[in-house]
């Protein structure tokens, strides 16, 4: 078994695979059983190399059917089966037992289903959706943001995709010695923020490239965005760029910034800020319509995406109430970091 901890004390994965890249981390270093056992939410991923995924004692014909899913009423477990090639099948089962997610998945599914295509979701996306929902049942929201820390000030940076939140957080860390919290995902209960440090979207920024290969890959990607789906080289972790002691794993949230493109301007309307935070999270996370969650909700009233969404809104409302807020508009994404320094950091010093 291999162990990976994606959020210290909160989220870990145990698997018989050598790695498990997903939305909560593509470059997580291997961890230990002890660290995994400390996590609030534990995910067990068993990849079966044969077509035998469900076991001989499981009869899908005796269960309720929902498209490609089968399930028993009032059980937090679903079975997925779909014809693949010849007599082979695409199969997995997912069971939620308290804060533990148990997955058995066929090798064909892991090998060939890599993205979201016409209702066919990769296991990494499927578990991202379920994990986001299970975290909400524990009063913790996943937020689509970057975040940095300096002393007692932790700044959470939201923005529409490709606006510059990752670039801004990296600039603050590299050029101004901030601690790194996140560049794509973080967790919050409305008062605190937990680092999700092992994502790796920052590799597309020229400002932090370290080789000619990076530059070439970035130029290809800018012309053919679909090439982002193809891995040319192994992703690097943030500590490769910033150092081993660069990550702030847990802190109190103090400031929220929303970055926008446009004429230079700053607004501080928290009601408008909350609307934007809810919108940006809705764009990124798909648990509201995730097939596995919708099916679980159909067979079991205790796993409702509507209830999860209401919890998410309450946590985001609590977060913005507890923090200072600023919406920063700039035409050039390279300017955001300096405005954050002058309008958010310096005003607290």
């Amino acid at each position: 078994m291999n162990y990976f901890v994606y959020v210290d004390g909160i989220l870990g994965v145990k698997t018989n695979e050598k790695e498990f890249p997903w939305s909560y981390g593509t470059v997580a270093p291997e961890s230990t059983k002890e660290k995994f056992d400390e996590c609030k939410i534990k995910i067990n991923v068993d990849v079966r190399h044969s077509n035998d995924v469900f076991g001989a004692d499981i009869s899908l014909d005796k269960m309720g059917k929902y498209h490609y899913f089968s399930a028993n009423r009032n059980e937090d477990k679903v079975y997925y089966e779909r014809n693949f090639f010849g007599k082979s099948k695409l199969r997995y089962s997912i069971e939620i037992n308290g804060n533990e997610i148990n997955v058995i998945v066929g090798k064909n599914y892991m090998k060939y289903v890599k993205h979201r295509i016409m209702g066919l979701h990769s296991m990494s996306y499927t578990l991202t959706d379920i994990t986001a929902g299970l975290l909400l049942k524990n009063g913790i929201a996943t937020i689509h943001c970057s975040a940095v820390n300096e002393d007692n000030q932790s700044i959470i940076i939201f923005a529409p995709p490709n606006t510059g939140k990752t670039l801004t957080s990296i600039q603050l860390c590299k050029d101004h010695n901030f601690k790194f919290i996140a560049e794509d995902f973080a967790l919050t209960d409305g008062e605190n923020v937990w680092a999700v440090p092992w994502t790796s979207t920052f590799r597309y920024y020229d400002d932090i490239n370290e080789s000619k290969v990076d530059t070439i890959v970035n130029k290809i990607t800018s012309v053919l965005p679909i090439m982002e789906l193809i891995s040319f080289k192994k992703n690097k972790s943030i500590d490769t760029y910033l150092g081993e002691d660069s990550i702030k794993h847990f802190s109190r949230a103090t400031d929220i910034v929303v970055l926008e493109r446009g004429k230079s301007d700053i607004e501080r309307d928290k009601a408008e800020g909350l609307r934007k935070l809810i919108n940006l999270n809705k764009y990124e996370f798909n648990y509201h319509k995730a097939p596995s969650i919708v099916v679980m909700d159909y067979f079991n009233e205790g796993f409702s995406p509507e209830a999860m969404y209401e919890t998410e809104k309450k946590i985001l409302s609590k977060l913005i109430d507890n923090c200072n807020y600023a919406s920063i508009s700039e035409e050039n994404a390279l300017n955001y970091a300096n405005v954050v320094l002058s309008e958010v950091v310096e005003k607290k010093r």
Side-chain angles (χ1 to χ4, degrees):
M1 284 294 150
N2 301 297
Y3 299 90
F4 302 94
V5 172
Y6 296 88
V7 184
D8 279 5
I10 299 292
L11 180 59
V13 170
K14 178 177 73 172
T15 178
N16 57 339
E17 294 286 277
K18 292 183 178 179
E19 58 183 6
F20 187 76
W22 60 325
S23 300
Y24 286 90
T26 58
V27 291
E30 191 165 349
S31 189
T32 64
K33 181 181 184 300
E34 289 72 25
K35 287 289 186 182
F36 171 81
D37 289 340
E38 292 174 359
C39 292
K40 178 183 287 288
I41 293 178
K42 302 177 182 67
I43 303 174
N44 304 297
V45 181
D46 180 3
V47 180
R48 299 284 174 87
H49 289 256
S50 69
N51 208 32
D52 182 19
V53 173
F54 301 147
D57 58 331
I58 300 297
S59 176
L60 300 186
D61 293 337
K62 297 180 180 180
M63 299 182 186
K65 296 291 292 183
Y66 195 119
H67 205 199
Y68 296 110
F69 289 91
S70 300
N72 291 315
R73 188 163 297 280
N74 297 323
E75 287 185 2
D76 288 329
K77 186 171 185 177
V78 296
Y79 299 83
Y80 181 96
E81 181 179 77
R82 188 171 184 172
N83 291 331
F84 179 50
F85 183 77
K87 294 183 179 181
S88 64
K89 306 280 188 179
L90 295 176
R91 285 175 171 165
Y92 67 77
S93 67
I94 297 179
E95 179 182 22
I96 299 175
N97 183 11
N99 283 328
E100 195 164 281
I101 304 172
N102 298 307
V103 180
I104 301 175
V105 56
K107 187 66 176 179
N108 283 340
Y109 200 100
M110 292 294 287
K111 183 177 181 179
Y112 295 109
V113 184
K114 296 294 187 181
H115 304 286
R116 290 187 177 109
I117 303 174
M118 298 178 65
L120 191 62
H121 294 194
S122 71
M123 186 51 59
S124 62
Y125 282 124
T126 297
L127 283 178
T128 294
D129 296 331
I130 292 176
T131 299
L134 191 55
L135 282 164
L136 285 167
K137 291 190 74 171
N138 282 270
I140 298 172
T142 308
I143 46 179
H144 182 45
C145 67
S146 63
V148 295
N149 168 269
E150 184 190 56
D151 296 329
N152 294 322
Q153 188 172 16
S154 288
I155 305 168
I156 304 173
I157 304 170
F158 293 83
N162 298 322
T163 299
K165 64 182 181 298
T166 296
L167 175 61
T168 302
S169 64
I170 298 298
Q171 285 178 318
L172 290 169
C173 291
K174 287 198 71 175
D175 300 336
H176 302 282
N177 298 317
F178 280 70
K179 291 282 189 178
F180 177 86
I181 297 175
E183 58 87 29
D184 195 39
F185 279 17
L187 303 183
T188 184
D189 59 2
E191 295 182 0
N192 306 294
V193 58
W194 285 267
V196 183
W198 306 120
T199 59
S200 186
T201 68
F202 55 86
R203 65 191 184 279
Y204 297 118
Y205 288 98
D206 289 336
D207 282 34
I208 58 172
N209 287 338
E210 293 185 333
S211 71
K212 292 182 179 179
V213 174
D214 287 324
T215 303
I216 293 171
V217 170
N218 289 343
K219 290 185 182 299
I220 294 173
T221 303
S222 67
V223 176
L224 297 171
I226 196 171
M227 299 303 287
E228 289 186 13
L229 301 178
I230 301 174
S231 178
F232 290 93
K233 57 190 177 61
K234 188 173 179 63
N235 295 344
K236 299 176 182 178
S237 61
I238 193 65
D239 54 1
T240 302
Y241 293 102
L242 303 179
E244 293 183 1
D245 298 325
S246 60
I247 300 171
K248 182 75 170 179
H249 288 277
F250 175 80
S251 60
R252 189 170 186 83
T254 61
D255 296 84
I256 292 173
V257 172
V258 173
L259 305 180
E260 298 179 321
R261 292 290 179 90
K263 184 179 178 180
S264 295
D265 191 21
I266 297 177
E267 296 181 354
R268 301 184 186 274
D269 183 348
K270 282 192 173 186
E272 178 65 4
L274 177 59
R275 186 188 69 82
K276 291 176 180 177
L277 264 57
I278 292 172
N279 177 279
L280 293 169
N281 245 34
K282 187 186 294 184
Y283 184 88
E284 179 67 18
F285 299 110
N286 296 279
Y287 67 83
H288 321 84
K289 293 186 176 181
S292 53
I293 291 181
V294 171
V295 171
M296 283 188 183
D297 180 43
Y298 184 84
F299 288 101
N300 184 348
E301 296 178 358
F303 211 77
S304 165
E306 288 81 10
M308 295 171 189
Y309 183 51
E310 290 303 314
T311 300
E312 180 183 72
K313 290 192 290 185
K314 289 178 182 178
I315 293 172
L316 292 175
S317 178
K318 182 179 178 181
L319 178 67
I320 205 164
D321 283 345
N322 287 331
C323 292
N324 298 308
Y325 170 76
S327 174
I328 298 173
S329 180
E330 285 290 328
E331 294 179 354
N332 187 342
L334 295 173
N335 294 338
Y336 289 131
N338 288 330
V339 179
V340 170
L341 286 170
S342 62
E343 296 295 329
V344 178
V345 178
E346 293 295 338
K347 288 192 173 183
K348 276 198 166 183
R349 288 175 174 170

